[in-house]
Amino acid sequence: MSAKDLIILNNLGFYGYHGALSEENRLGQRFWIDFTAGLDLSAPARSDDLSQAVSYADVFDVIQATFSNTRFNLIEALAQSIVDAVFAAFPAIETIRIRIRKPEAPIPMVAGEAAIELYRERP
């Protein structure tokens, strides 16, 4: 990873209908997303000029739209779709780490959550 600077969006909460089981598709559940993008932030840091920055609000909008617009059986596929959409929307982003957490995963756990994490570099 050449970029040492990061945009970080943690604990983004969404309600969705992703999952392989019919109950997940019918009832839905909460999901939490932790997202980190690696890029060079030196220009906006020096200039204080929004036009030189990647807006974390715009990144959030892409994440939210991708989460909401397509239903996925696997959270791995959801995460990859978000990665692809963010890379397409923001050419300055060089790397992405995304974790999707599913606290109500349909397994008999008393506490905790199921999660996946992807790390991708721009192709």
Side-chain angles (χ1 to χ4, degrees), residues 47-113:
S47 69
D48 195 27
D49 182 353
L50 182 59
S51 70
Q52 294 185 338
V54 171
S55 165
Y56 56 79
D58 292 343
V59 173
F60 173 83
D61 289 345
V62 171
I63 294 169
Q64 182 179 39
T66 306
F67 181 91
S68 301
N69 290 340
T70 305
R71 195 196 67 74
F72 295 92
N73 289 323
L74 301 176
I75 55 177
E76 295 88 340
L78 170 60
Q80 185 64 54
S81 184
I82 291 170
V83 166
D84 294 343
V86 171
F87 274 148
F90 305 100
I93 293 177
E94 299 172 18
T95 63
I96 294 174
R97 182 177 305 277
I98 184 170
R99 177 180 295 162
I100 299 181
R101 298 177 283 133
K102 204 171 172 181
E104 286 95 25
I107 56 178
M109 61 184 170
V110 174
E113 60 193 9

